[in-house]
Amino acid sequence: MSEVYIAGVGITPAGEHWERSLRELAFAALEGAANDTERLLGGRAPAEALFAANALAGQLSGQAHLGVLIADFAGLRGIEAVNVEAAGASGGAAIRQAYIAVASGQVETALVVGVEKTTDTIGGRVNAAMATASDSDFESVQGATPAALAGLLMQRYLHTYGLEHAVFADFAMNAHANAKANPNAMFRNTITRDAYARAGAVADPISMMDVAPECDGAAAVVLTSRPTAVRVTASAQATDTLALHDRPDLLGFDAAQLSAGRAYKMANLGPDEIDLFELFDAYTVFAALSLEAAGFAERGQGWRLAAEGQIGRDRRIPIQTFGGLKARGNPIGATGVYQVAEVALQVRGEAGASQVPNARVGMAQCIGGIGANIVTHILQAA
């Protein structure tokens, strides 16, 4: 198998892009990645395949077949192109497909672009579209939204470990503190503990301060077998039951544990050797469960890492270093690409004011559904 490297990254601001279409957002990210590659390699790397990542365009924008749409608009007609859908894990799944293509030797260079637009749609259509990532026969048909299902997990977590809702405040506060340094973040404001406590409920016990905002955005990465400064040393994916009621252990986050475990084995590393972890904090309870499942904390102790200040950029395990989903924003199908692009910048030492000191090894993990489909990537300085 060939070694796989990240040659370039392109990131558009997360937010409300009323003036830009799906194809225009995707093109902006691809052009950014191409320019970055040219700067690093001294020329643009001709790509043989394009993997798009998107979750909701077919339902919200009436546009499917995004791989071809983007390839056409970007002047890449004739290239192999496909769209990858895995709910919130779409971005990570697309990168994994590109990784497999390059590692297998089938292609030398592959493009990945994640793109999503949610803010053009108002009312309940976004919630209804997002709910299709759950079990339609037993969950969404009963009116269960993703936030409601995440609320069940949080309620179980608090009950099982005898905790109060306030223990999740530090995840939200850390995300917003880090987002201040990220010009591409949607929210660069401070969250206080008092503001967290006063926030209105979304799906009890989840409040407005526990939920990442859905938004528009696009990010792109160039994967290649040509050596560059960042090597992809692990790519792993795992699944769990789609419906929560089918899981024997609601708080195990089994797919996260399996995915992270496979990535550690592939990279020949352990949690103690990871310099930063871009986790999928669509809900603050996900942050605690992911830290535990990935081996950074014991069961029921993920919240304590945040409460003790161990998740800051210069502490034991930095997370949400560019603001995470909570403050950077959650462009759903594109989020996994944002995460890998952000980790690549960290490992290259080019994260600017968001830089984690001496970052050499970074991990990104994205989640489809309520922990049903989880993709983990580990990047190392080459």
Side-chain angles (χ1 to χ4, degrees), residues 12-188:
T12 70
E16 297 181 353
H17 291 281
W18 301 98
E19 76 290 355
R20 280 175 155 180
S21 65
L22 281 164
R23 71 188 80 194
E24 290 169 332
L25 275 173
F27 177 75
L30 284 171
E31 189 68 4
N35 291 336
D36 193 37
T37 299
E38 186 170 17
R39 176 179 66 87
L40 294 172
L41 297 182
R44 297 197 175 193
E48 299 123 283
L50 182 147
F51 296 87
N54 176 273
L56 304 178
Q59 299 172 74
L60 298 183
S61 303
Q63 179 65 65
H65 220 174
L66 284 186
V68 174
L69 177 81
I70 294 167
D72 179 15
F73 191 74
L76 298 170
R77 295 176 192 172
I79 198 173
E80 175 182 348
V82 67
N83 185 61
V84 178
E85 186 279 313
S90 298
I95 290 173
R96 173 150 175 75
Q97 294 305 307
Y99 172 88
I100 292 170
V102 174
S104 70
Q106 289 291 306
V107 302
E108 181 181 70
T109 301
L111 305 176
V112 180
V113 59
V115 62
E116 199 77 73
K117 277 185 69 70
T118 63
T119 61
D120 288 352
T121 305
I122 61 174
R125 283 187 62 201
V126 175
N127 275 336
M130 290 181 63
T132 61
S134 59
D135 191 315
S136 63
D137 289 334
F138 296 102
E139 292 178 327
S140 57
V141 73
Q142 307 296 335
T145 64
L149 294 170
L152 292 175
L153 285 186
M154 183 183 280
Q155 190 71 274
R156 171 56 64 181
Y157 191 94
L158 296 175
H159 172 76
T160 299
Y161 302 119
L163 302 169
E164 298 294 329
H165 176 248
V167 301
F168 292 107
D170 293 280
F171 289 117
M173 292 165 62
N174 181 70
H176 281 256
N178 287 342
K180 286 184 175 182
N182 180 12
N184 292 316
M186 188 174 182
F187 293 116
R188 298 192 289 275

Side-chain angles (χ1 to χ4, degrees), residues 1-9 33 36-37 40-41 45-48 94-105 107-112 220-235 266 340-341 343-345 347-348 360 377-382:
M1 290 179 63
S2 300
E3 298 284 1
V4 180
Y5 299 85
I6 291 183
V9 304
D36 193 37
T37 299
L40 294 172
L41 297 182
E48 299 123 283
I95 290 173
R96 173 150 175 75
Q97 294 305 307
Y99 172 88
I100 292 170
V102 174
S104 70
V107 302
E108 181 181 70
T109 301
L111 305 176
V112 180
V221 295
V222 179
L223 273 65
T224 182
S225 56
R226 296 171 60 183
T228 69
V230 180
R231 186 161 64 97
V232 183
T233 52
S235 176
M266 189 174 182
V340 169
V343 171
L345 290 174
V347 172
R348 276 170 23 184
R360 301 282 296 173
H377 286 94
I378 295 177
L379 278 54
Q380 291 185 252

